[in-house]
Amino acid sequence: KQWYQRRVREQKQMLKMVVSILCLFVLITLHSVFVHVKSQSPPPYNASWASLDSRPTPEWYLDAKFGIFIHWGLYSVPSWAPVGVTYAEWYWYDLETKGSQTQAFHNATYGAKFKYQDFVSSFKAELYDPQEWVDLFVKSGAKYIVPTSKHHEGFTLWPSAQSWNWNSVDLGPHRDLLGDLLSTAKNSGLYAGVYYSLYEWYHPLYTGPNPQDYVNEVMLPQLYDLAENYQPDIFWGDGEWDHPSAFW
């Protein structure tokens, strides 16, 4: 009986020792994981160029030698520009420039009473197949794409609340052209970013007495919308030249 009791005590002590060792192992492992995660976490950034410039370039971008940049929008309907002078996506701006080649082409082709906004009835994208596009991108060897979310005329290819009745869901194709392409690209292994114009040529808030209202009420909400709901891998900003960086 004494031998049996001693044996039980020894087994209990052995069990306690094993449990203690396991607990110690778990604590050490958790500490190592925490230290690793902490070391891998990006440092906090602030609103200064020194801070922002300290961000490392993503490894995938350094490795990706080829990407596809896509300018597609309402301006793709006329799809015209004088070669070597301007770009097709600047069609509306050039149309409003008196004596321009674009204005002469437009008046001869569509008539002087035909407005840029009237092109929306022809912007249907009825043959648009994002999977077909992405298959071609992958076959080409591209690793990422950057489609236009909004150019300088303000027409968005996603249902932006700040661009009511001037987007591809409310008008024209009645479809989230941007979202369909980004999701298809990511599902096929491509990285997907967005081009975004910071300013708009004819937005009343931008051309009004306090253009900062445009930044706060249009630009920033749109950027937040794109970041939160589409999670692009790249933000390609454009049109910043109208104002210094502090304005934006």
Side-chain angles (χ1 to χ4, degrees):
K1 184 178 180 179
Q2 292 179 349
W3 176 86
Y4 176 77
Q5 292 176 341
R6 186 172 63 252
R7 184 65 175 170
V8 170
R9 287 196 301 270
E10 291 175 352
Q11 289 179 344
K12 288 182 178 180
Q13 291 175 349
M14 181 63 70
L15 181 60
K16 288 182 180 179
M17 184 180 299
V18 171
V19 171
S20 299
I21 293 174
L22 288 175
C23 289
L24 180 61
F25 175 77
V26 170
L27 288 173
I28 293 174
T29 302
L30 289 175
H31 176 72
S32 299
V33 170
F34 173 78
V35 171
H36 175 73
V37 170
K38 186 176 180 180
S39 64
Q40 296 297 314
S41 299
Y45 300 107
N46 55 59
S48 69
W49 285 119
S51 176
L52 296 177
D53 288 342
S54 69
R55 295 173 300 169
T57 302
E59 287 295 329
W60 72 262
Y61 189 77
L62 294 174
D63 295 335
K65 306 302 180 185
F66 178 44
I68 304 291
F69 198 101
I70 308 164
H71 261 75
W72 185 39
L74 193 55
Y75 42 81
S76 301
V77 177
S79 191
W80 189 91
V83 178
V85 179
T86 185
Y87 307 102
E89 57 267 27
W90 282 65
Y91 190 94
W92 191 7
Y93 183 87
D94 294 326
L95 177 60
E96 300 298 324
T97 303
K98 292 183 179 181
S100 68
Q101 295 182 55
T102 298
Q103 188 179 72
F105 165 83
H106 181 88
N107 292 345
T109 306
Y110 304 103
K113 294 184 178 180
F114 191 94
K115 304 302 181 183
Y116 180 81
Q117 294 90 328
D118 295 331
F119 283 122
V120 76
S121 61
S122 299
F123 186 47
K124 300 177 181 179
E126 65 271 26
L127 301 179
Y128 176 49
D129 183 349
Q131 188 62 61
E132 185 178 13
W133 285 30
V134 169
D135 289 343
L136 180 61
F137 298 154
V138 172
K139 187 180 296 185
S140 74
K143 303 302 181 184
Y144 66 94
I145 61 170
V146 181
T148 303
S149 64
K150 182 191 77 170
H151 200 254
H152 308 324
E153 29 72 295
F155 188 87
T156 68
L157 298 193
W158 89 97
S160 169
Q162 290 73 39
S163 189
W164 178 83
N165 212 36
W166 191 232
N167 64 73
S168 65
V169 176
D170 291 339
L171 299 171
H174 298 290
R175 181 175 178 180
D176 186 350
L177 302 175
L178 179 71
D180 289 348
L181 183 57
L182 294 184
S183 61
T184 303
K186 291 187 176 184
N187 289 338
S188 299
L190 292 178
Y191 290 95
V194 295
Y195 163 102
Y196 177 84
S197 172
L198 300 181
Y199 83 139
E200 294 183 24
W201 290 318
Y202 307 118
H203 196 291
L205 288 180
Y206 188 75
T207 58
N210 187 16
Q212 193 69 49
D213 290 341
Y214 165 84
V215 173
N216 296 327
E217 298 178 29
V218 179
M219 188 197 81
L220 288 177
Q222 285 185 335
L223 289 174
Y224 291 145
D225 183 20
L226 289 170
E228 293 171 359
N229 294 312
Y230 296 89
Q231 299 183 352
D233 297 302
I234 301 172
F235 253 120
W236 192 298
D238 192 21
E240 80 291 341
W241 53 78
D242 254 18
H243 296 279
S245 60
F247 173 85
W248 305 109

